Amino acid sequence: MSRRAAITAAALSAMVAMAGCSPKAGGAAEGDMALGAAEGAKVTVVEYASVTCGHCAVWNQEVWPEFKAKYVDTNKVRFIFREFPTPPQDIAAAGFMLARCAGNDKYFDVVHAIMASQQEWAAGVPPRQSLNRIAQGAGMSAAEIETCLNDKDALAALEKRIRAGIEKGVSGTPAFYVNDQKIVDSSLSSLSAAVDAELAK
C-alpha cells in the first residue's frame, strides 16, 4: 500500500479509539451504497461492515443470501451498506476504494468477493494479491488499480464516511440498525423479527 494508505490506517485506528455515542445510525448519508427499496422506504436496514472483518464475512456467507432473497430482492426494505474498515485498515481501505472504482453496478460483487478472499489470506495468500485479482476480474487494469488506490479525494471521502459512522456510535463490525434501532443479534431470526415488526406498523 502507499505511504498515504499507511498514514490513513493510523488515522483510522485513532478514529475508532475515539468512537462517540450518538444513538442514530440510519437515514440517508453521503456515499451510501444501497440495494432494494427506494430511499424513503418504510424500513431501512443499515449494515456497517469491513471487508477485513471475519464476522462480517461469515454473516455475508451464511445470512446475507437468505436475508437478501426475503427482504431486498422483494423491495420490502432498503438495505444500506456503510464502510467501516477494521484491521488491517490499509487493506480494508484499499478494498473499499477498489469496490467503488469498479462501479456502482459491481460494488457489492467486489465487496463480497473480498470478504470471501479472507480464506485465501489465512492460507498465506497476500491480501494485495487477492485485491488485484478481484479488481481485475471486475474489469480494472493494473494502471486503473494503481490510480484508484492513490486517489486522494476518494480516500478523503472514505475517511469522512468513517468519521460519520463513529459519530453515530459505531465501534465495531458488523453493526446492524433497523430504522435506527440497533440490533445486537445479527442472526436472520433476530433481524427478521425487527424488520417484520417495522413492516407491520
Side-chain angles (χ1 to χ4, degrees), residues 71-93:
Y71 296 109
V72 181
D73 293 342
T74 56
N75 288 322
K76 290 182 178 179
V77 307
R78 179 172 179 78
F79 177 82
I80 295 175
F81 182 92
R82 291 185 182 159
E83 303 153 350
F84 201 83
T86 57
Q89 278 99 343
D90 59 336
I91 298 299

Side-chain angles (χ1 to χ4, degrees), residues 16 19 48-50 53 56 84-86 169-177 182:
V16 170
Y48 287 85
S50 174
C53 160
C56 301
F84 201 83
T86 57
V170 179
S171 59
T173 57
F176 293 90
Y177 295 80
K182 185 171 184 178

Side-chain angles (χ1 to χ4, degrees), residues 147-159:
T147 297
C148 177
L149 294 178
N150 288 286
D151 186 334
K152 295 181 180 180
D153 290 338
L155 190 55
L158 174 59
E159 291 170 345

Side-chain angles (χ1 to χ4, degrees), residues 1-2 4-13 15 49-53 83-101 107 110-111 114 121 127-128 131 145 148-151 154-159 161-162:
M1 295 299 136
S2 67
R4 179 169 173 81
I7 294 172
T8 298
L12 297 179
S13 295
M15 284 190 285
S50 174
V51 290
T52 54
C53 160
E83 303 153 350
F84 201 83
T86 57
Q89 278 99 343
D90 59 336
I91 298 299
F96 284 133
M97 291 172 71
L98 289 172
R100 287 180 178 268
C101 288
Y107 175 84
V110 171
V111 165
I114 296 173
W121 309 344
R128 179 63 188 261
L131 295 184
I145 291 172
C148 177
L149 294 178
N150 288 286
D151 186 334
L155 190 55
L158 174 59
E159 291 170 345
R161 292 192 294 274
I162 296 164

